[in-house]
């Protein structure tokens, strides 16, 4: 085990905040270390393992595909890619039936920005304070947090930031050179920030009125996470362009932009391609993942478990003074505390649970949508226990 830590620490550029856990195997909502110690994964690889780790339908599809064909450039046709596109179109909002395949979330955002600029012939992008859209230069230009941006400035020009949840602030920033408004339907990285119910509908109106594109980043909220296939469905809003990634191929790196052919046809051949986009293995995995999500009704499951979770969250807030706020939509959940949560995460790990974080003071949970209700309840019991301990430690320190 120490050898694995040593090697990674020696050779890998030190870019990730690391926890001392060597994960070697996963199944459903559980992962195991090299000694066979199991953990319930409330983070699902940052929201990726929507249908669980090593989902059997995905595993089977990948096995079959790697024996047939592993790579196929987009300049040729491929059966696995065609099936994935059909599966994608079956879950896409009505009217959005054209796709740009990508390899990650940030790449989906890059493609979305290029598409909006080309389609409108305008330059300006209105993003949101608190937004997270990825760390490549274009996506980073739409990302708010100074910590990620400041060493790399100047970023792309013509990006401005409005108050998230405040349509007036957005409207004030829109002008005749605005190509797009980009927003997460619920902000994930900022700590599960839920906008007022009329916010997304107002963004839709503002875009329609001003002839600019509405880009919704569903990278974290999509694929059933919030209790609907797409979070925009909670608000009855149809975006012009959607950015998708994370769980779309069951854990194999992949993403896509979902738009209309009327919009995507503005791009000329060669203007946006990538060697790996539409890779047959990722596509086979994606088709299997979508079938699983639909046939096992995972959005409905997330909605049901989300109700159970919101009751547990409410109790945590009621009971613990160190809990400042709790927020959730479906299985996208946050517990905001009054102090650094690092020790909560470590205590969770030492007792077999992987919790995530958003910034320093918020515990974030994005479990697989297949998590058993009993496991979810156990996670909340443990959080309750740890919050109690943290409270007592602070009381002791203040004596
Ligand atoms: C809303 C949102 N957009 C974009 C991204 C970037 O995706 P990736 O890390 O795959 O580049 C993320 C990643 O967490 C995200 O949550």
């Amino acid at each position: 085990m120490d050898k694995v830590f040593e090697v990674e620490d020696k050779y890998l550029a030190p870019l990730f905040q690391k926890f001392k856990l060597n994960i070697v195997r996963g199944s459903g909502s559980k992962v195991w270390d090299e000694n066979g110690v199991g953990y319930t994964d409330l983070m699902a690889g940052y929201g990726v393992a929507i249908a669980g780790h090593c989902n059997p339908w995905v595993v089977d599809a990948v096995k079959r595909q790697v024996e047939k064909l592993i790579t196929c450039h987009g300049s040729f046709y491929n059966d696995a890619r065609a099936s994935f596109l059909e599966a994608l179109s079956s879950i896409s909002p009505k009217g959005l039936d054209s796709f740009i395949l990508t390899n990650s979330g940030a790449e989906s955002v890059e493609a979305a920005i290029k598409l909006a600029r080309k389609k409108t012939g305008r330059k300006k992008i209105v993003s949101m304070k608190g937004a997270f859209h990825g760390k490549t230069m274009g996506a980073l230009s739409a990302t708010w947090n100074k910590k990620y941006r400041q060493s790399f400035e100047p970023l792309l020009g013509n990006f401005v930031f409005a108050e998230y949840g405040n349509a007036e602030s957005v409207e004030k920033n829109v002008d005749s050179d605005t190509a797009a408004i980009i927003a997460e339907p619920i902000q994930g990285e900022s700590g599960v920030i839920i906008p007022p119910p009329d916010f997304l509908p107002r963004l839709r109106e503002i875009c329609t009125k001003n002839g600019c594109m509405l880009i919704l980043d569903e990278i974290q909220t999509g694929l059933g996470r919030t209790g609907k296939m797409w979070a925009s469905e909670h608000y009855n809003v149809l975006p012009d362009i959607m950015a998708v990634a994370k769980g779309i191929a069951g854990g194999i790196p992949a993403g896509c932009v979902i738009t209309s052919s009327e919009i995507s046809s503005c791009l000329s051949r060669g203007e946006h391609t990538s060697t790996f986009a539409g890779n047959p293995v990722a596509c086979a995995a994606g088709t299997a993942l979508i079938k699983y999500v639909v046939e096992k009704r995972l959005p409905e499951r997330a909605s049901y478990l989300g109700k159970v979770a919101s009751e547990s969250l409410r109790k945590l807030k009621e009971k613990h003074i160190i809990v400042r706020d709790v927020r959730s939509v479906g299985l996208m959940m946050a517990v905001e505390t009054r102090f650094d949560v690092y020790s909560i995460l470590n205590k969770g790990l030492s007792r077999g649970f992987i919790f995530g974080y958003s910034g320093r003071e918020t515990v974030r949970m994005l479990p697989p949508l297949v998590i058993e209700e009993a496991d979810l309840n156990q996670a909340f019991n443990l959080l309750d226990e740890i919050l109690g301990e943290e409270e007592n430690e602070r009381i002791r320190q203040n004596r």
Side-chain angles (χ1 to χ4, degrees):
M1 169 169 76
D2 289 350
K3 170 94 170 127
V4 172
F5 299 154
E6 251 171 55
V7 172
E8 277 209 32
D9 289 344
K10 178 172 174 193
Y11 291 114
L12 203 55
L15 298 174
F16 288 83
Q17 173 81 44
K18 292 276 208 186
F19 293 93
K20 289 258 173 195
L21 176 61
N22 171 25
I23 298 174
V24 299
R25 191 162 71 81
S27 174
S29 60
K30 303 267 171 132
V31 293
W32 287 266
D33 72 9
E34 76 291 353
N35 297 316
V37 177
Y39 296 81
T40 301
D41 185 3
L42 275 297
M43 242 347 233
Y46 276 72
V48 169
I50 289 270
H53 289 280
C54 292
N55 177 280
W57 294 20
V58 174
V59 170
D60 188 48
V62 168
K63 276 186 181 162
R64 277 187 282 121
Q65 186 60 43
V66 290
E67 284 179 353
K68 257 174 63 182
L69 184 70
I70 294 179
T71 194
C72 177
H73 192 261
S75 50
F76 291 90
Y77 290 84
N78 173 255
D79 57 343
R81 191 182 300 135
S83 300
F84 182 44
L85 289 166
E86 279 182 331
L88 274 175
S89 83
S90 74
I91 59 164
S92 296
K94 275 212 169 51
L96 302 187
D97 55 0
S98 183
F99 305 92
I100 299 173
L101 300 178
T102 72
N103 307 290
S104 70
E107 268 188 59
S108 298
V109 171
E110 296 289 337
I113 292 169
K114 284 173 73 176
L115 193 52
R117 283 194 168 176
K118 178 87 195 279
K119 175 67 186 169
T120 59
R122 304 175 183 179
K123 290 190 269 318
K124 191 167 156 184
I125 308 284
V126 180
S127 186
M128 305 294 144
K129 293 185 180 170
F132 184 80
H133 295 294
K135 294 179 184 171
T136 53
M137 290 299 267
L140 188 58
S141 304
T143 289
W144 169 248
N145 197 331
K146 218 167 89 184
K147 176 176 84 176
Y148 301 139
R149 299 168 58 91
Q150 66 189 2
S151 308
F152 308 103
E153 284 168 347
L155 296 168
L156 294 191
N158 302 92
F159 279 70
V160 295
F161 292 89
E163 297 289 336
Y164 187 66
N166 179 339
E168 282 71 44
S169 161
V170 176
E171 194 155 26
K172 262 191 231 151
N173 279 287
V174 171
D175 59 32
S176 59
D177 195 33
T178 302
I181 296 174
I182 182 167
E184 296 152 88
I186 295 155
Q187 287 188 335
E189 196 70 16
S190 272
V192 187
I193 309 298
I194 304 157
D198 69 340
F199 182 60
L200 289 193
R202 290 287 310 280
L203 295 191
R204 178 65 276 173
E205 277 169 26
I206 295 167
C207 285
T208 305
K209 193 169 100 190
N210 291 279
C212 58
M213 304 276 107
L214 177 60
I215 303 174
L216 290 185
D217 179 341
E218 292 257 15
I219 289 166
Q220 194 166 134
T221 51
L223 291 166
R225 165 69 53 207
T226 68
K228 302 254 187 213
M229 185 62 78
W230 309 109
S232 57
E233 290 173 37
H234 291 289
Y235 306 99
N236 276 322
V237 164
L238 183 68
D240 300 295
I241 301 170
M242 256 164 70
V244 176
K246 289 225 189 262
I248 190 68
I252 303 281
C256 68
V257 165
I258 304 181
T259 187
S260 65
S261 46
E262 198 262 314
I263 294 173
S264 67
S265 60
C266 77
L267 292 175
S268 313
R269 287 191 196 284
E271 274 189 333
H272 194 82
T273 63
S274 135
T275 302
F276 288 130
N279 168 273
V281 180
C283 287
T287 306
L289 182 281
I290 291 171
K291 274 197 184 138
Y292 194 91
V293 167
V294 171
E295 284 183 32
K296 301 291 180 184
R297 298 171 176 266
L298 293 193
E300 285 97 319
R301 187 176 168 78
S303 172
Y304 167 73
L305 289 176
K307 288 191 185 106
V308 174
S310 75
E311 184 52 21
S312 303
L313 287 165
R314 190 187 61 74
K315 286 185 185 152
L316 286 183
K317 186 177 173 197
E318 223 171 67
K319 184 167 168 190
H320 298 285
I321 184 126
I322 56 173
V323 173
R324 186 179 282 140
D325 196 14
V326 293
R327 295 177 290 274
S328 70
V329 184
L331 285 179
M332 188 169 179
M333 304 170 279
V335 178
E336 187 180 331
T337 70
R338 298 180 193 279
F339 57 86
D340 196 313
V341 294
Y342 199 66
S343 91
I344 297 184
L345 305 186
N346 277 325
K347 282 183 178 170
L349 269 186
S350 70
R351 293 172 214 182
F353 283 78
I354 299 177
F355 296 111
Y357 60 94
S358 291
R360 291 159 67 109
E361 297 182 344
T362 301
V363 176
R364 181 171 39 149
M365 290 169 279
L366 302 168
L369 310 187
V370 295
I371 190 169
E372 294 296 335
E373 189 170 340
D375 289 333
L376 193 62
N377 288 335
Q378 247 194 319
F380 280 110
N381 289 342
L382 178 64
L383 258 186
D384 180 25
E385 193 180 301
I386 296 176
L387 286 165
E389 289 170 14
E390 295 283 315
E391 236 155 37
N392 288 338
E393 274 165 35
R394 271 162 186 77
I395 291 168
R396 235 180 292 124
Q397 279 163 11
N398 287 337
R399 270 202 194 122

